[in-house]
């Protein structure tokens, strides 16, 4: 073996060793990476578990806080309701207290006014007593002069008289009021009667106008009816004349016919038909007669013109 081949073998061995080292290094690095990734995954799983535990703890705390918040809200609502009820009760009590105070103030003011009025009335009575004291003395002296025992009996009698006078005045006033009421009622009735009379007068005038209108219409209809009757009588007379003329024509034209049924005197239309048939037959006969006479005259004219024509032919023959 030469040194060159030995070198080649060494180089190939070194290359193989280097490749093996590289491969082993790559495998070890891959294993290291896998271990590192596994460790990271384990760390992530651990962190995930810790996060889930923290989330569960947070959820539990949140549920507890929500429960506490709900309880606090319910307690707050109850407190508000209690405070509101207490405030309403206090307001009602204050309102009733104010009403009582106002009522007491009003009663106090009323009592003060009544007391002042009573004091004023007392002063007036005392003043009137002092003022009417001479009249009382006069009543005493008058009672001694009359049949009354004392001034009180006289005062009662005078009071009765004044009461009777007031009653009579009241009755007179009531009678006057009743009289005024009756007078007003009478005036109202008179006014109603006047208005009703005017209304009836107006209605009567309207009825008179309508009566005149109806009367004029009746006169018009009577005139028309008279005209209709006159026209009907004229037409009846004319119809009778027509029937008589038709009967005369029928008798004149058809009396010589024998073997035919005699037409009733009231059947004017049938009589006219018979007359019309007679006239048509007569016209036919006249036309036949005229035609026959015209034919005979034509024959006579032909006979008269025939010899001259024959003579003309005879005169022409020698010339030929």
């Amino acid at each position: 073996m030469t040194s060159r081949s030995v070198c080649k073998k060494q180089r190939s061995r070194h290359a193989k060793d280097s490749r093996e080292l590289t491969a082993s290094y790559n495998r070890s690095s891959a294993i290291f990476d896998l271990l590192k990734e596994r460790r990271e995954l384990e760390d992530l799983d651990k962190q995930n578990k810790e996060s889930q535990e923290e989330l569960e703890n947070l959820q539990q705390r949140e549920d507890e806080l929500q429960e506490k918040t709900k309880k606090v809200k319910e307690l707050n609502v109850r407190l508000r309701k209690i405070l509101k009820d207490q405030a309403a009760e206090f307001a009602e009590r204050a309102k009733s207290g104010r009403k009582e105070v106002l009522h007491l103030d009003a009663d106090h003011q009323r009592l003060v006014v009544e007391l002042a009025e009573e004091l004023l009335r007392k002063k007036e009575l005392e003043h009137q007593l002092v003022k009417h004291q001479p009249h009382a003395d006069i009543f005493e002296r008058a009672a001694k002069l009359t049949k009354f025992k004392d001034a009180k009996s006289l005062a009662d009698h005078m009071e009765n008289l004044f009461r009777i006078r007031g009653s009579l005045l009241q009755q007179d006033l009531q009678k006057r009021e009743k009289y005024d009421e009756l007078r007003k009622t009478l005036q109202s009735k008179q006014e109603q009667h006047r208005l009703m009379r005017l209304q009836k007068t107006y209605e009567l005038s309207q009825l008179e106008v309508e009566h005149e209108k109806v009367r004029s219409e009746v006169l018009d209809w009577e005139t028309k009816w008279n005209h209709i009757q006159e026209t009907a009588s004229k037409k009846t007379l004319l119809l009778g004349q027509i029937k008589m003329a038709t009967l005369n024509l029928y008798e004149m034209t058809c009396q010589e016919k024998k073997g035919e049924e005699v037409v009733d005197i009231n059947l004017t239309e049938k009589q006219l038909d018979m007359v019309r048939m007679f006239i048509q037959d007569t016209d036919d006969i006249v036309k036949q007669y005229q035609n026959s006479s015209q034919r005979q005259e034509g024959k006579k004219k032909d006979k008269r013109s025939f010899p001259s024509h024959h003579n003309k032919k005879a005169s022409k023959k020698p010339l030929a």
Side-chain angles (χ1 to χ4, degrees):
M1 295 179 63
T2 60
S3 59
R4 187 176 291 177
S5 61
V6 172
C7 289
K8 286 181 179 179
K9 288 181 180 180
Q10 289 178 356
R11 287 177 183 173
S12 61
R13 190 180 297 167
H14 285 299
K16 186 177 180 182
D17 293 336
S18 62
R19 284 196 297 272
E20 289 177 357
L21 288 172
T22 303
S24 63
Y25 177 76
N26 290 329
R27 284 195 296 273
S28 61
S29 63
I31 292 167
F32 180 75
D33 292 334
L34 288 173
L35 292 172
K36 186 178 180 180
E37 289 178 358
R38 184 177 293 174
R39 193 178 296 111
E40 289 177 356
L41 288 172
E42 289 176 356
D43 293 335
L44 288 173
D45 291 335
K46 187 177 181 180
Q47 290 178 1
N48 190 9
K49 288 179 180 180
E50 291 176 356
S51 299
Q52 287 181 356
E53 290 177 356
E54 289 179 359
L55 286 173
E56 289 176 356
N57 293 326
L58 290 173
Q59 185 68 33
Q60 187 176 0
R61 289 180 182 178
E62 185 178 0
D63 294 337
E64 291 176 356
L65 288 173
Q66 287 181 356
E67 187 69 23
K68 289 180 180 180
T69 304
K70 186 176 180 181
K71 290 180 179 180
V72 169
K73 286 182 179 180
E74 291 178 355
L75 183 61
N76 191 10
V77 170
R78 291 177 184 175
L79 289 174
R80 284 183 180 178
K81 186 176 180 181
I82 292 169
L83 291 173
K84 188 176 180 180
D85 294 337
Q86 289 179 356
E89 186 178 358
F90 290 154
E92 187 68 25
R93 288 180 181 177
K95 187 176 180 181
S96 62
R98 284 195 297 271
K99 286 183 179 179
E100 289 178 358
V101 170
L102 292 173
H103 185 67
L104 291 174
D105 290 337
D107 290 338
H108 182 264
Q109 293 292 332
R110 182 174 56 79
L111 291 173
V112 170
V113 172
E114 288 179 357
L115 180 60
E117 290 177 353
E118 290 293 332
L119 291 173
L120 183 61
R121 191 178 297 111
K122 182 180 179 182
K123 288 181 180 180
E124 288 179 356
L125 290 174
E126 289 176 353
H127 179 69
Q128 288 180 3
L129 182 62
V130 173
K131 183 179 179 180
H132 294 295
Q133 186 64 36
H135 299 287
D137 296 337
I138 293 170
F139 264 88
E140 288 289 341
R141 289 196 296 270
K144 290 178 181 180
L145 295 174
T146 58
K147 61 181 181 178
F148 297 101
K149 294 180 180 180
D150 51 7
K152 186 176 182 302
S153 300
L154 180 60
D156 292 337
H157 179 68
M158 294 295 292
E159 187 177 357
N160 289 328
L161 291 176
F162 282 121
R163 189 182 297 110
I164 292 169
R165 180 175 176 274
S167 177
L168 292 174
L169 289 174
Q170 185 68 26
Q171 291 178 3
D172 184 65
L173 181 62
Q174 290 178 357
K175 288 180 180 179
R176 286 180 180 276
E177 290 178 353
K178 189 173 182 180
Y179 172 75
D180 293 335
E181 185 178 356
L182 291 173
R183 185 168 57 81
K184 290 179 181 179
T185 304
L186 179 62
Q187 290 177 356
S188 177
K189 295 293 183 182
Q190 288 177 352
E191 184 67 21
Q192 290 179 1
H193 179 70
R194 187 179 67 81
L195 293 174
M196 189 178 293
R197 187 174 180 181
L198 290 173
Q199 184 179 0
K200 295 300 180 182
T201 304
Y202 176 74
E203 290 178 357
L204 181 61
S205 63
Q206 293 292 325
L207 290 173
E208 287 178 353
V209 172
E210 291 181 359
H211 176 69
E212 290 296 329
K213 185 177 179 180
V214 172
R215 184 170 174 275
S216 62
E217 290 179 357
V218 169
L219 292 175
D220 292 338
W221 282 110
E222 286 180 353
T223 304
K224 291 179 181 179
W225 176 247
N226 292 328
H227 179 69
I228 290 169
Q229 286 182 343
E230 290 177 359
T231 305
S233 61
K234 289 179 181 179
K235 288 184 178 181
T236 303
L237 180 61
L238 181 61
L239 182 62
Q241 292 176 357
I242 291 170
K243 284 186 176 182
M244 290 299 296
T246 304
L247 182 61
N248 292 329
L249 286 173
Y250 173 72
E251 289 177 352
M252 289 171 63
T253 55
C254 300
Q255 64 181 352
E256 295 180 355
K257 291 183 179 181
K258 295 180 180 180
E260 292 184 359
E261 184 181 358
V262 179
V263 180
D264 189 15
I265 192 172
N266 293 319
L267 298 176
T268 305
E269 293 181 358
K270 194 169 183 179
Q271 292 174 3
L272 287 172
D273 291 335
M274 297 296 292
V275 172
R276 182 175 56 78
M277 291 173 63
F278 176 77
I279 292 170
Q280 287 179 356
D281 294 338
T282 305
D283 288 337
D284 293 336
I285 293 169
V286 171
K287 286 179 181 179
Q288 289 177 3
Y289 176 75
Q290 288 177 355
N291 291 328
S292 62
S293 62
Q294 287 177 0
R295 283 196 297 271
Q296 288 178 2
E297 288 179 358
K299 288 179 180 180
K300 289 179 181 181
K301 288 180 180 180
D302 291 336
K303 287 179 180 181
R304 290 175 183 174
S305 62
F306 181 74
S308 61
H309 183 68
H310 182 71
N311 292 327
K312 287 180 180 180
K313 286 182 178 181
S315 62
K316 287 179 180 179
K317 285 180 180 181
L319 292 173

